Amino acid sequence: MITAFLETMKGLFLQSGFVQGYWGQYLMIIVACILIYLAIVKKYEPLLLLPISFGMLLANLPLGRLSSYDEGGLIFYLYQGVKLGIYPPLIFLGIGSMTDFGPLIANPKSLLLGAAAQLGIFITFIGAVLLQYTFKEAASIGIIGGADGPTAIFLTSKLAPHLLGPVAIAAYSYMALVPIIQPPIMRLLTTQKEREVVMEQLRPVSKLEKVIFPIFVTILVSFLIPAAAPLVGMLMFGNLLKESGVVERINNTAKNELINIITIFLGVSVGATASAQNFLNPKALGIIVLGLIAFSVGTAGGVLLGKLMYWTSGGKVNPLIGSAGVSAVPMAARVSQKVGQQANPGNFLLMHAMGPNVAGVIGSAIAAGVLLSIFGK
Amino acid sequence: MEQAINVAFVGMSVVFIILILIAFLISLLSFFIKEIPQRWKHKKST
């Protein structure tokens, strides 16, 4: 009887994940646990990082068959919303319903900072082509520099679906790590005097302006770059729900339940694309490195244009708001505020940084539309 | 490589042009929204 018991236990052990797993899965489980730690303890974008890192953990459980590519499982079906490009516009709807474009309307020049921060996308595109990625792959990698997860997923699902996992992980991880990545670049490119600049208060924006803005931007951008219409259209639709003030129930759903549900689906299924066999290869690891470069160059582009605006305005613009031109709403704007306040405790840059921040969302969606119209044929 | 540089240059330029256009038109729109009611009021009072 004892022999039978031992045989059964041995059989169970041999069939367990401890024996069936391999080093790559264990390594990815450790990475997932580090990201879970950062989300819970350090509170780095926990809304995104926690679902992504737990999805990563699930995908790497030996014999679990819980990755987004394992047909038939729950996560496989959730992943179809990513693959078919359904979740990103829905996330944009929710973001639009939460976003106040007032600071942007009050200071339209901040749109320039949102444009400059897209530099990372195109510089990284060139870098990726140099490293022998195809044009479509390079475009998908470059878009990480837009610091906009939904946009990165949208573009990659159209141009290079096989890279969706690494691109999405890189985009969301770096978005979560904005408070670590951006401040050294911001300090490196600005002087103490520039960081101390206190900006004038923004003018109040009328309701009429706020209502016309989303309709106007949707028409203009969709006519000029039709490929950007799904993202910009849904972003502006969400914003119109908010600003019109006549559909409070729908607006509440869009900014609460809808975006929360989609964030769970998107986060877990994107995290679950990072199985060891998909992730631990030179091409995927290259994307992680290039993504960091894209993010850093985007931040630098925004800050450098901010410096130019500082000089041309006679020192009225604090260059730190430029870094918020990479999307990552509102984290990047909070970083501008924090770094500005470290230089001058009386400095309140948050509202000034929100202008470039929301401009970055529009800018990265336009950049994705441009790349899609060039390579999407 | 040259094609990649061209794409990057064109892409960045298009992003800048569209956002400058939006900025310009927003400024114009704000101007009219602020100015027209004021001029209308002024005209009515005179």
Side-chain angles (χ1 to χ4, degrees):
Chain A
M1 203 165 88
I2 290 172
T3 315
F5 173 77
L6 288 174
E7 281 299 317
T8 309
M9 290 305 288
K10 189 182 168 190
L12 278 173
F13 180 71
L14 289 175
Q15 286 171 33
S16 73
F18 294 106
V19 177
Q20 299 286 332
Y22 73 103
W23 69 269
Q25 289 172 313
Y26 300 133
L27 180 65
M28 290 303 287
I29 289 172
I30 293 168
V31 172
C33 289
I34 293 170
L35 293 177
I36 290 172
Y37 167 82
L38 291 176
I40 296 173
V41 180
K42 297 285 179 185
K43 295 189 172 56
Y44 292 153
E45 286 273 328
L47 282 172
L48 291 172
L49 201 54
L50 196 57
I52 288 176
S53 49
F54 204 80
M56 194 186 276
L57 178 71
L58 291 175
N60 289 288
L61 297 173
L63 306 175
R65 290 187 53 77
L66 283 168
S67 93
S68 295
Y69 303 115
D70 287 320
E71 280 188 43
L74 171 69
I75 293 176
F76 171 77
Y77 291 110
L78 293 181
Y79 180 63
Q80 300 312 304
V82 176
K83 200 175 168 186
L84 299 172
I86 296 169
Y87 295 153
L90 289 178
I91 292 271
F92 261 49
L93 174 74
I95 293 172
S97 66
M98 286 189 280
T99 303
D100 178 12
F101 283 100
L104 180 66
I105 301 169
N107 182 16
K109 283 193 286 261
S110 55
L111 274 156
L112 298 179
L113 296 167
Q118 310 312 315
L119 185 70
I121 296 176
F122 296 103
I123 295 291
T124 308
F125 169 78
I126 296 173
V129 170
L130 269 175
L131 292 174
Q132 308 297 318
Y133 288 91
T134 66
F135 280 110
K136 288 184 176 185
E137 289 173 343
S140 303
I141 297 166
I143 201 70
I144 298 170
D148 195 330
T151 304
I153 289 171
F154 183 78
L155 185 71
T156 309
S157 67
K158 307 271 180 199
L159 294 185
H162 58 288
L163 295 183
L164 204 46
V167 167
I169 297 281
Y172 276 110
S173 305
Y174 292 139
M175 274 169 66
L177 300 175
V178 157
I180 295 176
I181 298 169
Q182 284 196 320
I185 300 167
M186 293 159 78
R187 288 194 197 98
L188 186 74
L189 295 175
T190 53
T191 62
Q192 176 72 17
K193 191 183 165 198
E194 288 167 346
R195 290 196 291 273
E196 283 176 2
V197 171
V198 177
M199 292 179 69
E200 281 173 24
Q201 204 179 350
L202 293 169
R203 72 170 174 87
V205 175
S206 70
K207 186 181 173 181
L208 183 60
E209 287 173 275
K210 286 186 175 180
V211 171
I212 291 175
F213 178 79
I215 304 168
F216 166 76
V217 172
T218 304
I219 295 171
L220 183 69
V221 173
S222 303
F223 269 60
L224 291 171
I225 311 282
L231 292 175
V232 175
M234 292 305 268
L235 178 74
M236 293 300 151
F237 174 47
N239 189 247
L240 187 60
L241 295 178
K242 172 180 184 280
E243 300 299 348
S244 65
V246 292
V247 282
E248 201 50 43
R249 277 168 49 200
I250 300 179
N251 183 45
N252 281 337
T253 303
K255 73 177 181 185
N256 295 306
E257 291 84 356
L258 182 67
I259 196 167
N260 288 343
I261 290 168
I262 301 294
T263 301
I264 294 170
F265 290 175
L266 185 90
V268 173
S269 54
V270 160
T273 58
S275 58
Q277 58 267 42
N278 287 322
F279 213 76
L280 296 176
N281 60 65
K283 217 167 194 178
L285 295 174
I287 291 170
I288 303 296
V289 175
L290 284 166
L292 182 61
I293 294 169
F295 222 92
S296 308
V297 175
T299 303
V303 175
L304 290 175
L305 191 77
K307 275 174 86 83
L308 187 67
M309 289 170 85
Y310 167 83
W311 292 326
T312 52
S313 67
K316 287 181 182 166
V317 174
N318 190 318
L320 292 177
I321 65 168
S323 65
V326 299
S327 316
V329 180
M331 183 69 90
R334 283 194 203 132
V335 171
S336 297
Q337 157 77 11
K338 196 177 166 191
V339 178
Q341 217 157 36
Q342 280 167 357
N344 177 0
N347 216 345
F348 290 95
L349 291 176
L350 188 64
M351 288 318 286
H352 297 284
M354 281 309 290
N357 208 190
V358 294
V361 179
I362 301 173
S364 56
I366 292 172
V370 171
L371 291 168
L372 197 54
S373 57
I374 296 172
F375 299 117
K377 293 160 199 161
Chain B
M1 186 57 206
E2 198 184 323
Q3 198 187 343
I5 295 171
N6 286 343
V7 168
F9 180 74
V10 170
M12 196 65 204
S13 308
V14 171
V15 171
F16 254 106
I17 289 168
I18 293 178
L19 290 180
I20 288 172
L21 193 63
I22 294 175
F24 172 71
L25 293 174
I26 289 172
S27 308
L28 207 64
L29 191 75
S30 300
F31 174 77
F32 282 117
I33 287 173
K34 274 185 288 179
E35 281 298 308
I36 288 175
Q38 277 177 10
R39 290 193 183 186
W40 182 251
K41 270 182 209 166
H42 181 70
K43 201 175 171 185
K44 268 173 83 176
S45 63
T46 53

